[in-house]
Amino acid sequence: MAFAPSPIPSRTQFVLEAIKHGILTGGLSPGQALVETELAARFGVSKTPVREALKTLAGTGLVVMSQFKGVTVRTVDAAMAHEVYDVRLLLEPEALRRSLARHASLDAARDALLRADEAVDQAERSLANRAFHRELYLSCGNPMLTRMLDEVRDQAALVSTVAWAADPSWAREADEHREILRLALAGDAAGAALALHGHIASFVRRAFPEGEQL
């Protein structure tokens, strides 16, 4: 008999999303301490939903729990960035090929690109870019593949947040996104997958050149 996982209580979910948003938009910096009492006071909740939210975020790799340092936002270095992006390189182009083979609609991906172009700050742009990439693989037809990519999506966004803080190269990446979408709309699955692979690989090489090559 299969058992469904227990739903996350609403207060915990609220705190979880608020902390995640702060991390992925740069409001909470890598290495910053996340103190339960301070977060509870900020969000007007008890420490219990904060503690549960932090445990969930630790499971996704966005925060680190240490017996000595407490909970901190995960730091990003070349090894971490290349590890996360290596997974994307192995899985995301194939997922895009499969989505296009299934004649998936690209309307949502196009809408995400428009939101990124019209974004007034880095936070909005980052969220729109994440949505664009997800829409490319969402219809791949393999729920496990989708979940695996979803699991690294937040860590990839953390990498890009740190990289953009040092070098705001989002305009270049936006051009690459448009080329990927153009090829996909033209039905060129191989070309779109190749362009996506190049986009992912070139970003991490530029942002973290001291890491091993992908």
Side-chain angles (χ1 to χ4, degrees):
M1 180 177 179
F3 293 90
S6 300
I8 299 177
S10 59
R11 288 187 179 181
T12 300
Q13 187 67 42
F14 166 74
V15 174
L16 189 155
E17 293 299 329
I19 297 174
K20 180 192 289 188
H21 186 272
I23 294 172
L24 298 181
T25 57
L28 296 171
S29 304
Q32 181 174 338
L34 300 174
V35 182
E36 287 183 10
T37 52
E38 293 177 358
L39 293 171
R42 178 190 301 184
F43 299 125
V45 298
S46 69
K47 290 195 297 183
T48 298
V50 173
R51 186 177 303 116
E52 293 304 312
L54 292 175
K55 287 180 181 178
T56 300
L57 291 169
T60 68
L62 286 182
V63 307
V64 177
M65 290 183 155
S66 168
Q67 180 179 354
F68 304 104
K69 295 183 179 180
V71 184
T72 56
V73 178
R74 183 173 184 176
T75 57
V76 175
D77 58 19
M80 178 270 193
H82 281 263
E83 179 180 310
V84 170
Y85 273 64
D86 190 34
V87 173
R88 292 186 66 194
L89 282 171
L90 291 170
L91 301 181
E92 202 166 324
E94 176 61 23
L96 172 58
R97 274 192 291 266
R98 295 187 179 198
S99 291
L100 295 179
R102 292 166 59 87
H103 305 289
S105 170
L106 296 169
D107 290 346
R110 184 191 291 110
D111 290 344
L113 275 191
L114 290 175
R115 293 200 305 275
D117 287 340
E118 296 170 355
V120 297
D121 57 30
Q122 179 177 309
E124 288 185 19
R125 188 175 297 112
S126 177
L127 293 172
N129 283 342
R130 292 174 68 219
F132 171 75
H133 277 275
R134 190 169 194 267
E135 292 300 332
L136 295 181
Y137 66 74
L138 188 60
S139 299
C140 68
N142 185 325
M144 181 176 290
L145 178 55
T146 300
R147 286 196 301 273
M148 292 173 71
L149 284 167
D150 279 348
E151 286 175 3
V152 300
R153 196 165 70 109
D154 287 342
Q155 294 182 56
L158 178 58
V159 171
S160 65
T161 297
V162 171
W164 280 359
D167 177 19
S169 59
W170 56 266
R172 174 173 178 170
E173 281 117 48
D175 288 339
E176 294 171 354
H177 284 172
R178 282 187 281 271
E179 177 62 9
I180 293 166
L181 183 61
R182 184 190 70 78
L183 291 166
L185 289 170
D188 185 354
L194 183 62
L196 177 59
H197 186 283
H199 165 69
I200 295 170
S202 64
F203 174 82
V204 73
R205 284 174 178 159
R206 290 194 308 270
F208 297 92
E210 67 273 26
E212 63 181 0
Q213 294 301 299
L214 298 176

